[in-house]
């Protein structure tokens, strides 16, 4: 058999070996990104060229070694070049998949209450989209739980003498507002944890820096939570109001709180002004969040409008 091989030796099969090696590289470039994590382009180029060299060596041992020097060198150059080309194809696929993830943020809208709304199918566009969608739902659930806790405490009754007459038990349990305060702190910890997880996912995504910055802006600060400070300030002012009304020096003066004591009237006026100021701060926080999200969305849109091969 070795004699027969030696007789074919001067010709070999370099074309077949090169085509088979090229086909393997193309297949790896097309299918690989669906099963592997994104790899930086420089590493992909080195890996692709190395894969081409390995395939050439296999082909060389199998048949190309029997071909002429021109075929040996030509096959080597072709397979290394094909490996680099396959790396570019894989890079494009990685980028396309990541850009699909980022497109959720480019296509997002804001509801009338400022709540972000992602496009249909966003959860399947990528890990960052899925994580952010879950974060939105958990934030909404937390807001409902916080509102329900305030309702259970009876905070609404403190704003109207009529309502307080219908629900007078609230001023007998002013200390219960500590439970709402504890809930707010607990929710803040969970909220920051969600933002931290998002920040890590964004940092690990294979995307242009501008797109990452835009998505990070949308996701919010993972280090500070101004909402908690505002909630606690309002809860403190609400507790102060509850304690004042618990003195029962007030009357229903045509739908307004009236006081026979000048000092209590002044204290009520002061705490009411404080609550109004805190409420305005909450509105300012909502506006700032809306503006931040919209600015981040525009940043992502601008980043995605560029070629995936464009430099930063």
């Amino acid at each position: 058999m070795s004699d027969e091989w030696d007789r074919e030796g001067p010709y070999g099969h370099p074309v077949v070996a090169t085509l088979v090696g090229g086909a393997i590289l193309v297949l790896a470039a097309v299918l690989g990104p669906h099963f592997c994590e994104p790899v930086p382009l420089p590493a992909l180029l080195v890996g692709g060229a190395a894969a081409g060299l390995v395939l050439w060596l296999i082909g060389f041992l199998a048949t190309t070694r029997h071909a002429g020097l021109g075929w040996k060198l030509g096959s080597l150059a072709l397979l290394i070049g094909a490996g680099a080309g396959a790396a570019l194809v894989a890079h494009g696929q990685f980028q396309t998949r990541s850009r699909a993830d980022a497109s959720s943020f480019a296509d997002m809208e804001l509801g009338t209450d400022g709540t972000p709304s992602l496009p249909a199918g966003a959860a399947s566009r990528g890990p960052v989209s899925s994580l952010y969608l879950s974060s939105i739902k958990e934030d909404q659930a937390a807001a409902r739980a916080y509102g329900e806790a305030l309702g259970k405490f009876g905070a609404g009754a403190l704003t109207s003498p009529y309502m307080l007459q219908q629900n007078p038990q609230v001023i007998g349990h002013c200390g219960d507002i500590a439970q709402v305060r504890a809930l707010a702190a607990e929710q803040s910890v969970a909220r920051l944890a969600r933002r931290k997880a998002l920040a890590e996912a964004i940092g690990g995504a294979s995307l242009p820096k501008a797109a990452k910055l835009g998505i990070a802006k949308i996701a919010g600060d993972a280090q500070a939570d101004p909402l908690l400070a505002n909630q606690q300030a309002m809860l403190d002012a609400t507790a102060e109001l509850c304690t004042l009304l618990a003195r029962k020096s007030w009357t229903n003066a045509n739908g307004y709180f009236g006081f026979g004591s000048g000092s209590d009237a002044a204290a009520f006026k002061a705490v009411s002004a404080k609550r109004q100021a805190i409420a305005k701060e909450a509105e300012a926080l909502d506006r700032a969040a809306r503006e931040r999200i919209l600015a981040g969305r525009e940043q992502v849109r601008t980043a995605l409008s560029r070629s995936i091969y464009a430099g930063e």
Side-chain angles (χ1 to χ4, degrees):
M1 183 174 180
S2 61
D3 292 338
E4 293 179 0
W5 182 269
D6 290 338
R7 285 197 296 271
E8 293 181 2
Y11 304 97
H13 302 282
V15 175
V16 174
T18 303
L19 289 177
V20 170
I24 292 173
L25 289 170
V26 170
L27 193 63
V30 172
L31 298 180
H34 294 280
F35 303 99
C36 304
E37 291 298 317
V39 179
L41 180 56
L44 275 175
L45 288 172
V46 172
L53 177 60
V54 170
L55 289 171
W56 177 81
L57 287 173
I58 294 174
F60 179 81
L61 293 175
T63 179
T64 309
R65 62 192 176 94
H66 298 290
L69 180 61
W71 271 112
K72 292 175 183 177
L73 296 178
S75 177
L76 174 62
L78 285 171
L79 284 175
I80 290 179
L88 288 175
V89 172
H91 173 68
Q93 289 220 82
F94 280 131
Q95 290 286 46
T96 298
R97 290 175 60 203
S98 295
R99 287 162 69 87
D101 198 355
S103 70
S104 296
F105 300 89
D107 297 338
M108 71 186 301
E109 299 292 343
L110 291 181
T112 55
D113 61 349
T115 301
S117 175
L118 269 62
S124 62
R125 292 192 182 188
V128 180
S129 297
S130 179
L131 196 59
Y132 184 62
L133 188 60
S134 296
S135 179
I136 291 175
K137 292 179 179 179
E138 291 181 36
D139 285 347
Q140 291 174 332
R144 287 194 297 270
Y146 182 76
E148 290 170 0
L150 280 176
K152 183 178 181 181
F153 168 72
L158 301 178
T159 62
S160 164
Y162 174 78
M163 293 176 64
L164 190 53
Q165 287 172 336
Q166 300 300 312
N167 184 21
Q169 60 269 27
V170 60
I171 55 178
H173 303 86
C174 292
D176 289 353
I177 203 168
Q179 299 175 12
V180 185
R181 187 182 178 90
L183 175 63
E186 179 183 323
Q187 289 182 343
S188 177
V189 171
R191 188 159 47 244
L192 288 175
R194 289 194 292 273
R195 291 180 183 174
K196 183 178 179 181
L198 264 170
E200 292 175 352
I202 295 166
S206 178
L207 276 174
K209 183 178 179 181
K212 287 186 177 184
L213 291 176
I215 298 173
K217 186 177 291 185
I218 292 171
D221 190 352
Q223 303 299 323
D225 186 15
L227 174 60
L228 175 63
N230 182 265
Q231 287 177 329
Q232 290 181 332
M234 181 60 81
L235 291 172
D236 289 343
T238 301
E240 185 179 347
L241 175 62
C242 185
T243 300
L244 172 62
L245 296 177
R247 297 174 186 171
K248 298 183 179 179
S249 61
W250 55 274
T251 59
N252 186 345
N254 296 320
Y256 295 92
F257 284 104
F259 293 88
S261 166
S263 60
D264 283 355
F268 178 81
K269 183 177 181 180
V271 72
S272 296
K274 184 188 299 184
R275 281 166 52 85
Q276 288 177 0
I278 296 169
K280 288 183 178 179
E281 289 177 2
E283 293 174 357
L285 287 176
D286 288 341
R287 285 195 300 272
R290 183 189 294 263
E291 292 170 0
R292 169 178 54 79
I293 291 172
L294 291 176
R297 182 185 67 179
E298 293 308 309
Q299 197 168 347
V300 175
R301 286 178 175 179
T302 300
L304 294 186
S305 68
R306 304 177 65 194
S307 167
I308 60 175
Y309 298 108
E312 289 292 332

